[in-house]
Amino acid sequence: MKTKDLILVSLFAAITAIFSQISIPIQPVPITFQVLAVALAGAFLGRKHGFLSQVVYLLLGAIGAPVFAGFKGGFNFLIGPTGGYLFAFPIAAYLIGMLSERKGIINMFIGMLLGIISIYTLGMLQLKVVLNLSIQEAFAAGVAPFLVLDIIKMAFASFIANEVLKRTNMLQRA
């Protein structure tokens, strides 16, 4: 991996950590801007490096760095009610990167929708298991409150990423 790639992977892990602090603390899952950072990581870095940026983010949080929402960290957050969402971040970045590599705002947006679906699916399943909820309750608590805002975030992210990537080769993906 080139130095530039290491820097960009680290940068997007840091961006995800910063965006996780922009939150509205509702229970059991806070509204954050992490998903926007995941989408941008996949779009800008492509599948491989976008995936790695989110793995770095999770590893930092797992060892206790306060990178998760509310300046929290530790392995217990990965096995708690919101851990499924966190575990899905690398998968989502990979999916977003895979479709973004095909170029074009439509591919990028479709990738972002697939990414958000993967985050919702894993998040909702872990929420259901950890809190002993029905699938309907898990959906109502862990997906429904976020749908509209996340679709808006994905549209915004696909527009921004597409425009930046069209205008610069600075963030060329490997």
Side-chain angles (χ1 to χ4, degrees):
M1 189 181 296
K2 298 177 187 171
T3 303
K4 176 184 118 181
D5 298 329
L6 288 171
I7 291 168
L8 290 172
V9 164
S10 301
L11 176 66
F12 275 92
I15 289 170
T16 306
I18 292 165
F19 279 29
S20 73
Q21 305 316 318
I22 304 168
S23 69
I24 300 167
I26 63 171
Q27 293 299 324
V29 182
I31 296 172
T32 71
F33 278 79
Q34 288 168 300
V35 173
L36 179 59
V38 172
L40 292 172
F44 283 132
L45 303 180
R47 63 181 162 212
K48 180 177 148 189
H49 295 123
F51 175 88
L52 287 174
S53 73
Q54 298 310 299
V55 169
V56 168
Y57 169 74
L58 291 180
L59 290 173
L60 286 169
I63 63 169
V67 296
F68 299 145
F71 293 101
K72 295 192 167 94
F75 187 74
N76 56 324
F77 287 96
L78 294 175
I79 59 173
T82 60
Y85 299 97
L86 297 169
F87 278 123
F89 287 178
I91 297 164
Y94 185 89
L95 291 170
I96 292 164
M98 186 173 64
L99 268 83
S100 295
E101 289 169 1
R102 296 182 182 171
K103 306 232 187 305
I105 195 166
I106 300 298
N107 286 328
M108 199 173 289
F109 184 67
I110 290 169
M112 289 184 187
L113 291 179
L114 289 174
I116 203 72
I117 289 169
S118 70
I119 292 170
Y120 285 157
T121 302
L122 287 178
M124 184 177 67
L125 291 174
Q126 187 159 331
L127 190 66
K128 176 192 179 314
V129 170
V130 171
L131 297 181
N132 196 28
L133 303 173
S134 70
I135 200 75
Q136 294 83 3
E137 291 169 325
F139 181 86
V143 176
F146 309 98
L147 276 171
V148 173
L149 182 58
D150 281 342
I151 290 170
I152 292 168
K153 285 189 256 184
M154 296 307 100
F156 176 73
S158 58
F159 174 76
I160 294 298
N162 189 60
E163 290 302 309
V164 169
L165 290 170
K166 272 195 312 192
R167 289 179 164 81
T168 180
N169 63 1
M170 185 178 86
L171 294 176
Q172 260 184 328
R173 293 169 276 178

